[in-house]
Amino acid sequence: MKTQRMYICIDLKSFYASVECRERGLDPMTTNLVVADPERTEKTICLAVSPAMKALGVPGRCRVFEIPDGIEYIMATPRMQLYIDYSAAIYGIYLKYISKEDIHVYSIDEVFMDVTDYLSLYRTDAKDLSVRIMQDVFDTTGITATAGIGTNLYLAKVALDITAKHVSDHIGCLDEESYCRTLWDHRPMTDFWRIGRGTVNRLERAGIRTMGEVAHADEDLLYRMFGVDAELLIDHAWGRENTTIADIKAYKPKENAVSSGQVLPRDYCFDEARLVTKEMADALCLDLTGKGLATDSVTLHVGYSYRLEKKSAHGTGRLPSATSSARRIIACTDHLFEKIVDRNAPVRRISVTFNHVMDELYRQYDLFTSPEEAEKEQRLQKAVFEIKERFGKNAVLRGMDLQEGATAKERNEQIGGHRSGIQDKDEQRDAGKAVHAVRGAEGILRGAQKKREDYCAEKRIV
């Protein structure tokens, strides 16, 4: 007989806001606090609001101007590195109870655990184990956690997102039977995992308004509406999910890609957006170099100003062969930008993706590329990468990074597009060392090139 698996999904309650309250010696349950950058406009999104703010009806991802007048609150500047440090410490607590092979990190503040084989070891049940872990997290870090328990990953997630909110201990428990009995009539449907507003709208046009109605709907109709995605929707309507954490750990994608995206602080003209796109491509090239990877194509997605009802620009440019050369990749990206972007439309969003990322062992040279020059550029890029790793990303900058409208210098001090909160005194102190390191690297390259030229002259090699 197949063993029924048990999963726990743990979420750190209003994580960023709770960390900021903890750092200030305040109780997030009674303190009105929002995490948002005060230097941005009032349209900026709050990264988190404290549970006390939520109790007043303030949603978790509202914009600053949407906070009702009359509510006094603390605005905390984001400190992303601090949140990462807290998250790492809490992950260490999880490892005291569960092996890393049985933990799937879903986000900075949420994890799934397969606890099936641990319940007999600890001589307990999933709920008591959840309480023990959550209490350890609170005692160690002061952060309150909530949990969902389910017989599959989907039910654990739904138990966390829906059921846990309506019980005093903040621990929801679901199996397939209780899911169908208690949640088939639950609304809004957007509370369910993977059900977005667009899906709900399409279902409502077909007269389907609850998960129970999805479960009993005509499957042919659902497949016509959603294609193969209907299979997942139907399974979830019945509370079924076959994927396990072991499956997630074993998954290997057929192809790999790296990408970078940003929302610009204002509407950018064509030339300004073009500059930022080149900066983004350059940063991704260094990322490839640091990981020993190469790419053979670039995809660019450019969104125009919110004021315009204009379709985004999208296109892909191909390189003659796989490479990590910043010179070649930036040139390809720049050509693609010029080809697909409307010169007269202000730009607000840019995304750059390097496709078919592969090991640099597969890098090739075409007939128009000098192997010596390519190797020289590769060594220089590796030197720059190592300097940035040691002294900070702003230790070495291109001239374009200092032009008006450039964003690379500012983004180098951010994590995930938000302030890192790191004090840069050490980086500033070491800036002089970084400059000397760059010059030293350049000298080494020049010396190597000179030795090669002398050797060729001596051997009479053309």
Side-chain angles (χ1 to χ4, degrees), residues 28-41:
M29 300 299 172
T30 59
T31 302
N32 293 339
L33 182 144
V34 303
V35 179
D37 192 341
E39 292 188 3
R40 298 187 180 184
T41 69

Side-chain angles (χ1 to χ4, degrees), residues 148-436:
I149 300 169
T151 51
N152 60 50
L153 290 171
Y154 172 72
L155 291 176
K157 176 64 172 171
V158 173
L160 171 74
D161 291 343
I162 302 177
T163 310
K165 294 180 179 180
H166 304 288
V167 292
S168 58
D169 59 6
H170 304 297
I171 301 176
C173 301
L174 289 174
D175 57 20
E176 291 182 21
E177 186 277 329
S178 61
Y179 170 84
C180 297
R181 175 169 42 84
T182 62
L183 295 180
W184 261 4
D185 294 326
H186 177 86
R187 297 186 68 181
M189 285 185 66
T190 50
D191 286 348
F192 291 89
W193 194 24
R194 291 180 57 90
I195 301 291
R197 187 69 250 172
T199 299
V200 171
N201 290 339
R202 294 169 71 181
L203 288 171
E204 288 182 345
R205 286 196 292 269
I208 301 172
R209 295 177 175 80
T210 66
M211 281 302 236
E213 292 176 356
V214 172
H216 293 96
D218 178 16
E219 291 193 3
D220 289 338
L221 170 64
L222 295 176
Y223 274 99
R224 286 197 299 272
M225 292 172 62
F226 299 101
V228 294
D229 290 339
E231 181 176 353
L232 186 64
L233 180 62
I234 295 167
D235 279 350
H236 285 181
W238 288 96
R240 298 190 296 252
E241 175 58 67
N242 295 322
T243 301
T244 65
I245 288 181
D247 293 332
I248 296 172
K249 298 283 187 181
Y251 174 74
K252 300 293 183 185
K254 293 182 179 180
E255 292 185 352
N256 294 301
V258 295
S259 64
S260 175
Q262 64 174 297
V263 178
L264 300 170
R266 57 176 172 80
D267 290 349
Y268 271 41
C269 70
F270 180 87
D271 289 334
E272 289 176 320
R274 185 177 186 175
L275 169 65
V276 172
T277 303
K278 291 164 68 175
E279 286 185 310
M280 294 167 68
D282 182 44
L284 283 178
C285 288
L286 277 183
D287 192 27
L288 291 183
T289 299
K291 296 175 180 177
L293 302 172
T295 183
D296 64 3
S297 70
V298 179
T299 294
L300 182 61
H301 187 91
V302 177
Y304 298 109
S305 171
Y306 300 123
R307 296 182 288 103
L308 304 178
E309 294 184 2
K310 186 177 178 64
K311 187 177 180 180
S312 301
H314 184 87
T316 297
R318 301 199 177 278
L319 294 150
S321 59
T323 183
S324 61
S325 164
R327 177 178 56 81
R328 295 173 63 191
I329 294 176
I330 291 175
C332 176
T333 306
D334 188 48
H335 175 74
L336 180 61
F337 185 93
E338 190 172 18
K339 178 182 177 182
I340 69 172
V341 177
D342 186 341
R343 287 181 169 272
N344 300 312
V347 173
R348 199 59 183 267
R349 303 177 306 281
I350 303 172
S351 175
V352 179
T353 302
F354 291 175
N355 310 301
H356 309 141
V357 171
M358 63 195 77
D359 193 289
E360 66 177 350
L361 292 174
Y362 296 99
R363 185 182 53 186
Q364 297 178 342
Y365 300 116
D366 55 51
L367 294 174
F368 305 100
T369 300
S370 165
E372 291 80 7
E373 289 298 319
E375 291 297 329
K376 178 180 177 182
E377 182 184 8
Q378 181 73 2
R379 291 195 300 271
L380 180 59
Q381 284 185 202
K382 286 183 177 179
V384 171
F385 175 82
E386 291 170 1
I387 292 167
K388 284 175 174 279
E389 282 289 290
R390 182 175 179 183
F391 300 104
K393 292 183 179 179
N394 282 333
V396 182
L397 296 170
R398 288 182 180 267
M400 66 179 178
D401 300 331
L402 303 177
Q403 295 182 37
E404 185 177 355
T407 63
K409 188 176 180 181
E410 180 182 358
R411 285 175 60 81
N412 284 342
E413 298 173 350
Q414 299 176 345
I415 297 176
H418 302 285
R419 291 192 183 189
S420 66
I422 299 173
Q423 299 298 322
D424 293 328
K425 293 180 180 179
D426 291 340
E427 292 181 11
Q428 293 172 1
R429 183 189 63 211
D430 292 333
K433 295 180 181 179
V435 172
H436 288 301

Side-chain angles (χ1 to χ4, degrees), residues 43 105 146 319 336:
K43 294 182 180 180
V105 178
T146 59
L319 294 150
L336 180 61

Side-chain angles (χ1 to χ4, degrees), residues 14-183:
S14 300
F15 181 49
Y16 297 165
S18 294
V19 170
E20 292 295 343
C21 287
R22 169 73 173 175
E23 289 291 303
R24 291 166 169 77
L26 303 172
D27 183 356
M29 300 299 172
T30 59
T31 302
N32 293 339
L33 182 144
V34 303
V35 179
D37 192 341
E39 292 188 3
R40 298 187 180 184
T41 69
E42 63 176 8
K43 294 182 180 180
T44 189
I45 293 177
C46 298
L47 298 185
V49 304
S50 64
M53 292 282 282
K54 289 184 178 180
L56 296 174
V58 179
R61 294 283 289 177
C62 67
R63 297 184 184 274
V64 172
F65 75 86
E66 294 175 327
I67 299 175
D69 294 335
I71 297 180
E72 294 185 2
Y73 60 88
I74 299 169
M75 181 178 287
T77 301
R79 293 187 283 178
M80 299 305 295
Q81 186 59 55
L82 178 65
Y83 311 146
I84 291 172
D85 293 341
Y86 265 80
S87 180
I90 292 170
Y91 182 74
I93 296 172
Y94 299 151
L95 291 176
K96 291 167 56 177
Y97 301 89
I98 310 296
S99 169
K100 66 179 182 179
E101 286 77 16
D102 295 311
I103 301 176
H104 171 58
V105 178
Y106 186 63
S107 68
I108 191 172
D109 61 349
E110 193 170 336
V111 299
F112 288 94
M113 301 176 181
D114 184 345
V115 299
T116 308
D117 300 324
Y118 297 86
L119 301 182
S120 59
L121 173 66
Y122 296 128
R123 297 181 181 179
T124 187
D125 58 24
K127 186 168 184 178
D128 285 341
L129 180 57
S130 299
V131 171
R132 190 186 306 183
I133 296 173
M134 291 162 62
Q135 189 62 48
D136 197 346
V137 169
F138 182 79
D139 292 341
T140 305
T141 67
I143 304 300
T144 300
T146 59
I149 300 169
T151 51
N152 60 50
L153 290 171
Y154 172 72
L155 291 176
K157 176 64 172 171
V158 173
L160 171 74
D161 291 343
I162 302 177
T163 310
K165 294 180 179 180
H166 304 288
V167 292
S168 58
D169 59 6
H170 304 297
I171 301 176
C173 301
L174 289 174
D175 57 20
E176 291 182 21
E177 186 277 329
S178 61
Y179 170 84
C180 297
R181 175 169 42 84
T182 62
L183 295 180

